[in-house]
Structure formats: structure tokens, C-alpha cells
Amino acid sequence: MYGKYNRLVSEFKKTYPGVEPTYCIRVPGRVNLIGEHVDYNGLPVLPMAMEREIRMLVGPLSNNSIRVHNTSPQYSPREFTISNNITPYSTGDWGNYIKAGVQGIVNMARESVKNDKFHGFAALIESDLPPAAGLSSSSAMVVASALAGLAVNNLTISRQELADRLAIAEKYVGTMGGGMDHAAILLSAVGSALLIEFFPLRAATVPLPRGYSIVVCNSMVIAPKTEAARRSYNRLPIECRLAAMILRKEATALYQEAASARRLADLLAFVPAGQLYNLINQTLVGKEWSKESVAIALGVSLSELEQEYLLMGDGQLFPQPADGFLLAERMMHVIAEGERVRASVQALEKGDASQFGQLMNASHASCRDLLHISCPELDKLVDIARGAGAVGARLTGAGFGGCVVALVPSDQLSQFRTIIIERYYNEYLKQNRPQLYQAAQALGYDNIVLASTPQSGAAVSPLPGGLAVLSGT
Ligand code: GLA
């Protein structure tokens, strides 16, 4: 009766006696091909949805409880009730991604669901998407949980609107991410990469070169969601915003319209890139940026600066980094990375794999040297990947660990895989990071060197008794 979900359905029924599963939700991970840390600046990105995914079986509950079980024992069950303001678990708890999705649905449907009578749900989750690897397992969980909330409450929404809303909803967990992940997860199309543009959200498919494969290799350095990692990530959007607002102030003297800019992409609409580079050189380069000097440059008081720019979702103030705010480097990266994304689209439309590969390589160098989000393991893996035949290789996702994405001639795939396993895992990691090597052995290479073709976005399949949720394609 339930076709390919039979096994999961029988486990669901054992876990939740008396609850009927009515939906199966499939949410893919994403790999970003190029365009790192540009989304929250309003510049385009080029990811694709991959084969690895989260599957969630969902059944409605008559009350407002949310109950989630994960088939992986690493994630113990969570249960909470729906309210207008759901209190988060402690930082890093996997249940916060479920709560973020549910809170997002509550926020969006408050008006249409009478008296806040939201139905809760019971869910059983299984996943083959590696966590903390820069492949958006967290956003996939947020999307899955939101889709479950929509499904059991008979709410429909367009994919686009959901992507927009969930990008905001995920801020619940304390990271100040952009909109790439939810858009890639929800809007991707099978067989193509996706050019995503922001404010307003738009997406268009881009062909990948024939005869080449996308391979994702896990460095095994975990990019966890701890307090410290959250700070390392949040530092970037904060610095980008500070830098863009200082540049706005300077640019307004030359281009009045620039006064309305809210982020770097808006400035680029009014100020030619060459002129903006000049402003960066004159205003940002060669200075040590403290809270005080930033406040002076922006013409605000220290407390205005803190309230407007440094106050985090949890009410804490973002501390001044020990090496100061790195404003010039961030801007240099973001402007050039945005240009690389546009150039990549042109190269891919012409089928020019080698040009695209060079842009990927340049993106990695910039992530390493200007954003400082690489690490020795990622750099090593990128080098080995290039030596093993990749025409381009770079870190992918937020950085600080996680995966490398490589563009590899398909007829060299098997040789590529052998060289990566030998030189990165069996030599480099074994010698330098024995624990990570052990972890790789435990996972198995089929789970850490992944050739992936582009997949379609998340889907909700009604099982007997369920209704459609997502409108549009
Ligand atoms: C994380 C964020 C995204 C994006 C990337 C870096 O995945 O969630 O919005 O900023 O990092 O490109």
C-alpha cells in the first residue's frame, strides 16, 4: 500500500502506535558550486540539489504536540508543543531545526489558522545526508519540519514564498545565514545547477557541462553548530554589513541614490564596481577596524552601533574580533565572487568546463585568503583533487571544515576517486589527523566521496489520506 516507504511506515507505526502516517517528505541536501558568502549581500549563487536527502514520514496528531524520532541513534527523540513563541533548546541541539521550521509555519499562518489551532505531528526521520559537512543538512531539517507543519494543517504555499520565509525562520537557531540553502533545497530542478538571485528571490536553471561530473569529497573536519562556530559564521555577515554601510556613506556623496542601499548588491546597482573598489581602497584598506572606529566612520554612537549592527538574535552583543573587523577583505571577496558567479553562468552556458573550473579555483583562493574560512585539510583536499584530474575544486558551503566540490571529467571518475582515497584519506589524514581518518573508515568511502547529479527540489508525497502541499512546480 505504501510502496517504497513500506519499511519506514512499519517503523513509524511501531514508534507511534495509533498514528497513521499520511505524508512522506523528501528534502535533498545542496552543494554550492560557486558563490560563497555572497547570498546575504544580495549577490547570486550557483548551487544544485544533490542525491543525499532527508526523508520524513509524518502523521497528524489531534493535539498541538510535535514528536520527532530519528532512525539515527545519534539524535535522541524530541517532543514539544506548538505556541506563538516556541522556546529553543540549548545551542547546537538538533531539535532546534525542527522548532525553527514549526515556528516559521506558525509565524506565517497565524492569520489563516483560526485561534492558533495548529495541529501537531508525529514524524520519523531518516537521512543519508552527512551532517555538519557544508551540505545544508540543517536547512534541510528546517524545510522538512516546515513542510510537515504545512501538510498536517492543510496549508498550501508556493515554493518561492516558502524558501523566502524559511531563510528568515532559520535565524531562530542563531545563525545569520542568507537565503541560498532553502532556495536551493526547494527550487532546484533535476539535471541543472540553479542560479539564485535575491531580494527578490529568483531562480533559473543553468546547464552543467556534458562529460563532467560533480564530486563532493568530505574533508571529515566537522563544521559543527556550536557557539564558537556560530560566531565564526556570524562574523562574516556582520562585517559585510558594516563595510557596506560605511561604503554607502562614502558613495552617497557621489551617487545620491546609493543612500537607499541596504546591502552591497544595492550599492553595486548604483555605483560601478571599479568605483566601489576605489572607495574600498580609500576608505577601508589598511585600517584596523575596532567598534570605535566603525562607529566614527558610520557617524553613530557606540551604543547605536551595538543596537543596530551587533545585537544577535539571542540578545547578546557580537564581540569585537581579536584581529578587528576585517572589512576590506570581506568586500574584496564578495564583489569578485559575485562577478565569478556571473562569469560561471556564461562559461556554463557555452559548455566551457575549463573556464568554470578556473573560476572555482579562484573562488577557493579567495575563500582561503580573504574570508579565512578554509583550513589545512580543505586546502590539501583541493590540491589533491586538482592533481587527480579535477578541472576545478573548491571548498563548498559556509567553510571552517566540511566538503570540497570538484568538477571532474566523467571518464576519469574512477581514477579520481582512487587517488583521493589514497592520497587524502589513507596518507594525509591517517598521518595528520588519525581520529578523522578513523571516522572516515567508520563512514565508508561511499558516504564521503560522492559523485552527484543535480536533483529536483523537496517534495511532499501524500500517502493514502494525505493532500497536496506545495503549489507550482
Ligand atoms: C551557509 C548559509 C548560506 C550561505 C553559505 C555560505 O550555508 O546558510 O546562506 O551564506 O553558508 O555561502
Side-chain angles (χ1 to χ4, degrees):
M1 180 181 185
Y2 297 104
K4 61 181 178 176
Y5 303 120
N6 270 332
R7 187 184 38 79
L8 209 53
V9 168
S10 66
E11 194 167 338
F12 183 98
K13 289 187 170 175
K14 254 190 268 157
T15 312
Y16 303 112
V19 183
E20 196 58 31
T22 43
Y23 294 93
C24 181
I25 295 170
R26 180 192 70 80
V27 184
R30 65 96 189 97
V31 50
N32 191 18
L33 304 178
I34 196 161
E36 228 58 88
H37 288 271
V38 294
D39 55 353
Y40 47 78
N41 289 288
L43 291 172
V45 294
L46 191 67
M48 65 177 224
M50 57 191 295
E51 270 129 14
R52 296 301 177 114
E53 63 188 24
I54 288 178
R55 283 176 295 278
M56 189 191 242
L57 218 56
V58 180
L61 296 176
S62 50
N63 58 22
N64 67 351
S65 298
I66 304 291
R67 301 176 63 194
V68 280
H69 276 248
N70 198 310
T71 54
S72 162
Q74 200 186 334
Y75 304 102
S76 54
R78 294 283 177 270
E79 184 165 352
F80 59 93
T81 49
I82 303 175
S83 65
N84 277 339
N85 292 299
I86 303 167
T87 316
Y89 296 115
S90 54
T91 305
D93 191 301
W94 79 279
N96 280 337
Y97 296 99
I98 302 291
K99 287 189 167 181
V102 172
Q103 181 73 64
I105 297 304
V106 172
N107 293 349
M108 91 178 65
R110 250 181 214 147
E111 281 137 40
S112 54
V113 179
K114 282 198 193 92
N115 305 324
D116 286 354
K117 283 275 178 274
F118 281 97
H119 281 289
F121 59 80
L124 178 64
I125 299 164
E126 76 171 5
S127 170
D128 60 9
L129 180 60
L135 302 176
S136 264
S137 61
S138 326
S139 300
M141 198 65 91
V142 175
V143 173
S145 139
L147 288 174
L150 288 167
V152 298
N153 287 290
N154 292 334
L155 297 165
T156 41
I157 183 169
S158 74
R159 287 176 181 271
Q160 201 120 345
E161 188 182 348
L162 187 60
D164 252 341
R165 286 182 178 266
L166 292 183
I168 298 167
E170 192 167 327
K171 297 197 191 305
Y172 178 93
V173 301
T175 36
M176 304 162 84
M180 164 168 67
D181 303 345
H182 315 85
I185 287 170
L186 280 157
L187 303 173
S188 279
V190 74
S192 304
L194 198 69
L195 171 69
I196 306 175
E197 300 184 79
F198 303 95
F199 310 110
L201 182 62
R202 284 148 294 156
T205 55
V206 176
L208 285 176
R210 280 170 182 272
Y212 286 83
S213 300
I214 299 295
V215 187
V216 173
C217 310
N218 195 333
S219 73
M220 299 306 294
V221 176
I222 309 174
K225 294 292 182 301
T226 57
E227 186 66 41
R230 204 165 60 154
R231 219 168 252 179
S232 309
Y233 179 87
N234 285 346
R235 174 177 183 174
L236 289 146
I238 287 175
E239 288 174 326
C240 286
R241 185 158 171 245
L242 292 174
M245 291 303 101
I246 294 175
L247 291 174
R248 176 179 77 175
K249 195 157 168 275
E250 298 299 317
T252 305
L254 307 167
Y255 304 87
Q256 264 181 13
E257 316 90 296
S260 64
R262 298 185 55 194
R263 47 189 77 84
L264 186 67
D266 306 335
L267 275 181
L268 281 163
F270 302 121
V271 186
Q275 183 76 21
L276 210 52
Y277 279 122
N278 287 343
L279 280 180
I280 293 171
N281 281 320
Q282 286 158 18
T283 317
L284 301 181
V285 170
K287 298 198 177 128
E288 288 210 356
W289 289 100
S290 61
K291 279 203 229 180
E292 288 73 14
S293 55
V294 171
I296 292 169
L298 286 173
V300 298
S301 70
L302 207 50
S303 80
E304 281 165 342
L305 177 84
E306 290 177 343
Q307 292 310 306
E308 172 67 25
Y309 298 94
L310 304 178
L311 195 59
M312 318 255 285
D314 59 6
Q316 290 188 34
L317 279 183
F318 188 83
Q320 179 180 309
D323 48 349
F325 294 105
L326 302 179
L327 304 187
E329 285 152 285
R330 306 321 192 193
M331 289 296 95
M332 295 289 194
H333 166 82
V334 175
I335 299 175
E337 185 78 351
E339 287 165 354
R340 280 189 286 269
V341 173
R342 301 251 179 245
S344 295
V345 172
Q346 282 177 6
L348 289 171
E349 266 156 7
K350 283 191 291 191
D352 190 341
S354 100
Q355 174 66 15
F356 178 48
Q358 282 171 33
L359 291 159
M360 291 173 83
N361 292 343
S363 167
H364 183 78
S366 182
C367 286
R368 182 192 60 212
D369 301 338
L370 297 175
L371 291 189
H372 313 295
I373 59 167
S374 191
C375 59
E377 294 80 2
L378 284 171
D379 292 340
K380 188 74 188 176
L381 188 48
V382 158
D383 277 353
I384 294 175
R386 289 177 194 155
V391 296
R394 55 180 294 277
L395 67 81
T396 181
F400 311 106
C403 291
V404 158
V405 57
L407 183 67
V408 182
S410 301
D411 58 3
Q412 292 177 33
L413 212 51
S414 128
Q415 185 192 339
F416 175 84
R417 194 170 182 275
T418 310
I419 298 176
I420 293 284
I421 292 175
E422 206 39 52
R423 296 209 37 218
Y424 181 71
Y425 300 98
N426 291 347
E427 283 174 23
Y428 177 82
L429 220 51
K430 194 171 181 181
Q431 263 170 34
N432 298 288
R433 303 292 307 270
Q435 279 181 335
L436 299 187
Y437 172 73
Q438 293 302 334
Q441 300 310 301
L443 268 179
Y445 291 123
D446 285 349
N447 290 314
I448 50 184
V449 183
L450 311 163
S452 192
T453 54
Q455 300 296 306
S456 55
V460 182
S461 313
L463 296 170
L467 299 167
V469 171
L470 287 166
S471 60
T473 49

